[in-house]
Amino acid sequence: MDYKDYKTSRAVVIEKPYDATLREIKLTEPMEDAYIAQTLFSAISTGTDMKTYKGMQHPEQCYYPLVPGYETAGVVVAKGPNTDGTLEVGDRVMINECRKYGDVCAAWGGGSEFTVKDSNTTNDQFDYMVKIPDNVTDVQAVLAYLACVPLKGIRRLTLRPNETFVVIGAGMVGISAIQELKILEPTLKVICIERNAFRRSIAENYADLVVAPEEAVEKIREFTNGKMADQLMECSGNPEVFGSLHKYIKDGGWEDDDIPAHIHLQGDYPDKLVFDHYHRWFVKNATITMTCALRAGCKEQVLQWISEGKFDTSKLPIEIWPVSKCKEAFEYQNEKGADCFKILFDWSK
């Protein structure tokens, strides 16, 4: 088919809160710089997509009906005459974001069988597609997207040898953060705090110490000989966690050579973040930063790490569902919550 012939597509559509379906949507008219990609596998984001499914997104961000999803991998099936030349028909690619569809809200969406990727539907900052290395599977390429999110955040930190990091949350973002910290600075000791027992069992494959929140302060103090954590990444997306993060970090920042603790917010929070009593924070002299989404180069880096065997997806409990069962899959994810780590959709079924 010519690139101009792609006018409609099957898509996962959230019609309204708690109502997901698979149906046909209209695509935007492809521009001359368009690539057309066909999705082979996609995923439900247990953070962003489930907030959208539950109606928790702010109305200025999206409206219903909408196409969720940004974790997608597939193949280039057509291209216009004025593309940037980086890809060819037949290339396997990370597809990811599409910002515009013809008759539904795109949100951050990529959950369609066919996606128009051009200067109208995407931006050139990080929406561009990236070719998948031959030894990286389509499933791994889907998982690679959320691994890019903490990598952007880690780039805001200074990784020093032998420091102790705390990562809160053992979803895909938190597990990725643990791995990436150790790839970039192998001497780091990483502690994961996770309230869900199932996800703690996953984190044990990657972190030096995994603890439940109720025992975290005592265990971190013991692990660090009383010092507490040098730096912390909050990856849970739970707004109730933020207020008490001061409990896990070291004192410092009183002298020029006394480096204070650094807290980086990586979660996607649906509600206000509220500090604990400020005097408990004030004396920490801590640096607090935050990042959203990813940045250019992250996809290429994560795919390279997977290709080289440095980033391990083999211990992640993935469930693959036929996309025809997307309604049931969203209902199942909503019911199971943190006891379901990741659902992928197979678009051939």
Side-chain angles (χ1 to χ4, degrees):
M1 288 174 60
D2 184 77
Y3 78 103
K4 291 183 178 179
D5 295 329
Y6 289 87
K7 301 181 184 300
T8 63
S9 175
R10 291 191 305 163
V12 175
V13 178
I14 299 177
E15 305 284 1
K16 60 185 178 181
Y18 299 98
D19 182 11
T21 188
L22 181 70
R23 68 169 172 89
E24 186 174 276
I25 63 166
K26 293 180 181 179
L27 300 173
T28 59
E29 182 177 353
M31 301 177 67
E32 289 191 350
D33 63 350
Y35 290 104
I36 311 297
Q38 181 177 8
T39 299
L40 300 178
F41 289 91
S42 64
I44 297 177
S45 163
T46 58
T48 305
D49 287 348
M50 292 310 295
K51 280 173 55 183
T52 307
Y53 180 73
K54 297 174 184 179
M56 299 171 69
Q57 298 289 0
H58 294 286
E60 66 266 25
Q61 292 181 291
C62 56
Y63 56 88
Y64 299 94
L66 59 79
V67 176
Y70 39 64
E71 301 166 86
T72 51
V75 60
V76 177
V77 292
K79 66 176 188 173
N82 294 324
T83 63
D84 60 11
T86 58
L87 298 170
E88 298 294 336
V89 172
D91 284 346
R92 293 189 308 124
V93 289
M94 288 179 68
I95 303 171
N96 311 124
E97 297 84 353
C98 177
R99 308 291 171 167
K100 292 182 182 179
Y101 288 103
D103 59 350
V104 294
C105 176
W108 308 270
S112 55
E113 182 172 17
F114 294 99
T115 304
V116 176
K117 301 281 286 190
D118 59 23
S119 53
N120 179 40
T121 64
T122 61
N123 66 60
D124 60 1
Q125 295 175 313
F126 58 82
D127 285 355
Y128 59 87
M129 295 190 293
V130 175
K131 187 175 179 179
I132 302 170
D134 291 341
N135 67 336
V136 174
T137 68
D138 296 330
V139 168
Q140 287 175 315
V142 172
L143 299 174
Y145 183 91
L146 279 183
C148 297
V149 173
L151 180 56
K152 178 181 179 179
I154 290 170
R155 298 298 190 192
R156 295 285 296 275
L157 308 174
T158 300
L159 305 187
R160 304 176 187 89
N162 302 308
E163 285 196 336
T164 299
F165 262 78
V166 164
V167 172
I168 299 182
M172 190 64 208
V173 173
I175 294 294
S176 298
I178 295 168
Q179 294 204 66
E180 290 162 354
L181 287 166
K182 287 182 161 292
I183 291 170
L184 292 168
E185 180 47 70
T187 66
L188 293 178
K189 299 296 183 183
V190 181
I191 302 169
C192 179
I193 302 175
E194 169 56 54
R195 61 182 177 177
N196 178 268
F198 170 59
R199 293 194 173 193
R200 287 199 299 272
S201 70
I202 302 168
E204 287 171 354
N205 295 300
Y206 302 100
D208 295 288
L209 176 67
V210 181
V211 297
E214 57 270 20
E215 61 179 356
V217 173
E218 178 182 351
K219 293 292 186 180
I220 294 170
R221 183 179 291 116
E222 179 182 339
F223 189 85
T224 61
N225 294 318
K227 180 182 178 183
M228 306 304 286
D230 297 285
Q231 303 195 58
L232 181 151
M233 290 189 74
E234 205 303 297
C235 301
S236 73
N238 181 357
E240 297 177 4
V241 170
F242 171 75
S244 59
L245 295 181
H246 62 83
K247 298 188 300 183
Y248 308 126
I249 59 175
K250 68 179 183 178
D251 295 324
W254 298 107
E255 303 294 341
D256 289 342
D257 60 350
D258 185 15
I259 300 171
H262 190 154
I263 292 174
H264 187 76
L265 303 181
Q266 196 64 78
D268 182 10
Y269 307 97
D271 297 315
K272 294 179 180 179
L273 300 181
V274 181
F275 278 89
D276 195 354
H277 295 288
Y278 188 59
H279 72 275
R280 296 172 179 167
W281 280 92
F282 188 49
V283 296
K284 291 292 183 176
N285 297 301
T287 299
I288 301 176
T289 56
M290 64 190 72
T291 52
C292 173
L294 59 155
R295 61 185 293 184
C298 287
K299 296 178 188 178
E300 295 91 330
Q301 179 63 87
V302 173
L303 287 173
Q304 180 182 337
W305 282 336
I306 295 174
S307 177
E308 294 171 347
K310 295 179 179 178
F311 189 98
D312 180 15
T313 64
S314 67
K315 301 178 181 67
L316 303 179
I318 306 302
E319 299 186 34
I320 299 180
W321 288 56
V323 72
S324 59
K325 297 290 186 180
C326 64
K327 177 180 178 65
E328 294 85 349
F330 270 95
E331 292 171 348
Y332 173 84
Q333 179 68 75
N334 184 53
E335 177 185 352
K336 297 286 285 186
D339 286 324
C340 176
F341 182 79
K342 197 71 176 171
I343 292 176
L344 270 64
F345 291 133
D346 181 345
W347 283 78
S348 69
K349 298 179 180 179

